[in-house]
Amino acid sequence: MSTRDFRNLEAAQVSGEHVAFSFGKNWANFLGSLTDDKIAWAESSLRQFFGLDSLQGHTFLDIGCGSGLFSLAAHRLGADRVISFDADPFSVQCAEYLREQRGAPANWLVKQGSILNASDVAELPQASIVYSWGVLHHTGSMWKAINNTAGLVAPGGLFFIAIYNKHKRSEQWLRIKRLYNRSPRPVRFAMEAGYGLWDIGVQTKKGRNPIRHVRDYGKGARGMSWWYDVRDWLGGLPYEYASTGEIVEALQQHGFELVKQDPSGSYGCNEFLFRKAGGA
């Protein structure tokens, strides 16, 4: 996919939610490198975390769908219905593109709106699977976004959420992200290169082959791309975070039971799978 398809869009104020960093623009570039292998890795990550071989019988609600890759993965895994939802118009265009590539199936709907906007949320159905990976900490009102998203999980349904871990360096990263977003393109490129080199250095110190790390990054990163994740990490504003205990306690108060978690151990995303009380 070429970014020229998206040049007529401007990411600014969307349904009351300020998109300081356009993840959708980054995803538009990412889709140009999307391969069958990356789609397969995304499907595998869903199967493994849900513990399901198929999503048949489920409605899959993708809150903050980004590139649309995981909506596509859910559709390929047989979900009865897929709803892709994002505030960034570029992300909406990306998801629409993947839907059209799939033949524009009637059971896959793409909607633009903000998870912070009550009227937008009211238009979404409750779903047996609600998926929001690395999204709600970028809304500018994380806890409200988590509460609104949790309300979209049907009784007995699953909630897969990933939120940045609270870490001793979280405040430092917030300052770096602000600098990145305020800087001209040459400075941003230098920061991307510097962060990329730092990451490669870390992998080398761990005894890993840095070339293989970059080349095969998607196998361990849900089908994503190393370079576009570098940009995503540096640019991601707004930026909030929470400890595993804070997330678990908040969701338990909303009637959720923790099924499994994969803690980051650093400043990356903690992954959680919750099940909502009720249902058959």
Side-chain angles (χ1 to χ4, degrees), residues 207-225:
R208 299 171 183 168
N209 184 314
I211 297 175
R212 187 176 298 118
H213 167 67
V214 174
R215 184 191 64 200
D216 297 339
Y217 179 83
K219 290 182 180 179
R222 307 161 48 252
M224 308 310 289
S225 159

Side-chain angles (χ1 to χ4, degrees), residues 49 158-159 161 244-245 247-249 251-252 255-263 271-277:
F49 210 78
L158 296 171
F159 184 19
I161 182 176
T244 56
I247 294 295
V248 171
E249 181 181 359
L251 269 296
Q252 285 176 340
F256 286 84
E257 174 190 5
L258 179 65
V259 176
K260 66 185 294 188
Q261 64 175 305
D262 185 4
E271 296 180 308
F272 306 88
L273 182 63
F274 292 93
R275 185 180 300 276
K276 191 172 186 177

Side-chain angles (χ1 to χ4, degrees), residues 12-19 85-89 92 111-121 123 139 144:
Q13 201 74 18
V14 185
S15 301
E17 180 174 293
H18 181 65
V19 183
F85 180 78
D86 206 293
D88 190 327
V92 171
K111 292 179 65 67
Q112 181 178 335
S114 170
I115 193 62
L116 301 179
N117 187 303
S119 60
D120 290 342
V121 174
E123 293 181 0
T139 60
K144 179 179 179 180

Side-chain angles (χ1 to χ4, degrees), residues 30-236:
F30 163 73
L31 289 186
S33 66
L34 186 61
T35 63
D36 289 340
D37 281 346
K38 290 179 180 179
I39 296 171
W41 295 335
E43 290 177 33
S44 177
S45 75
L46 289 182
R47 286 197 303 268
Q48 290 177 15
F49 210 78
F50 286 125
L52 299 170
D53 291 329
S54 166
L55 298 187
Q56 287 183 354
H58 289 282
T59 294
F60 185 91
L61 179 55
D62 190 355
I63 300 295
C65 61
S67 67
L69 173 59
F70 284 85
S71 292
L72 172 63
H75 187 267
R76 285 167 53 113
L77 288 172
D80 289 1
R81 190 180 182 199
V82 175
I83 302 101
S84 308
F85 180 78
D86 206 293
D88 190 327
F90 290 89
S91 290
V92 171
Q93 289 262 347
C94 287
E96 283 282 13
Y97 172 83
L98 290 183
R99 177 180 176 271
E100 290 168 5
Q101 292 296 302
R102 191 71 177 168
N107 66 337
W108 181 355
L109 177 67
V110 181
K111 292 179 65 67
Q112 181 178 335
S114 170
I115 193 62
L116 301 179
N117 187 303
S119 60
D120 290 342
V121 174
E123 293 181 0
L124 297 172
Q126 284 197 321
S128 55
I129 293 178
V130 175
Y131 176 87
S132 189
W133 205 103
V135 172
L136 305 179
H137 48 227
H138 289 309
T139 60
S141 186
M142 182 180 70
W143 291 110
K144 179 179 179 180
I146 291 174
N147 291 341
N148 288 352
T149 305
L152 294 168
V153 183
L158 296 171
F159 184 19
F160 185 174
I161 182 176
I163 295 293
Y164 283 138
N165 185 40
K166 182 184 289 185
H167 187 267
K168 62 183 180 181
R169 295 182 178 173
S170 295
E171 285 295 325
Q172 175 186 351
W173 277 113
L174 177 58
R175 292 192 293 270
I176 292 171
K177 289 168 182 284
R178 286 171 173 164
L179 174 63
Y180 177 90
N181 280 280
R182 292 168 179 166
S183 297
R185 181 66 195 129
V187 175
R188 294 200 304 271
F189 181 79
M191 293 178 70
E192 292 162 6
Y195 178 68
L197 289 172
W198 173 82
D199 180 58
I200 288 172
V202 169
Q203 302 306 318
T204 302
K205 286 182 180 179
K206 291 179 178 179
R208 299 171 183 168
N209 184 314
I211 297 175
R212 187 176 298 118
H213 167 67
V214 174
R215 184 191 64 200
D216 297 339
Y217 179 83
K219 290 182 180 179
R222 307 161 48 252
M224 308 310 289
S225 159
W226 178 82
W227 180 246
Y228 293 109
D229 267 9
V230 166
R231 288 180 176 173
D232 180 288
W233 170 248
L234 287 173

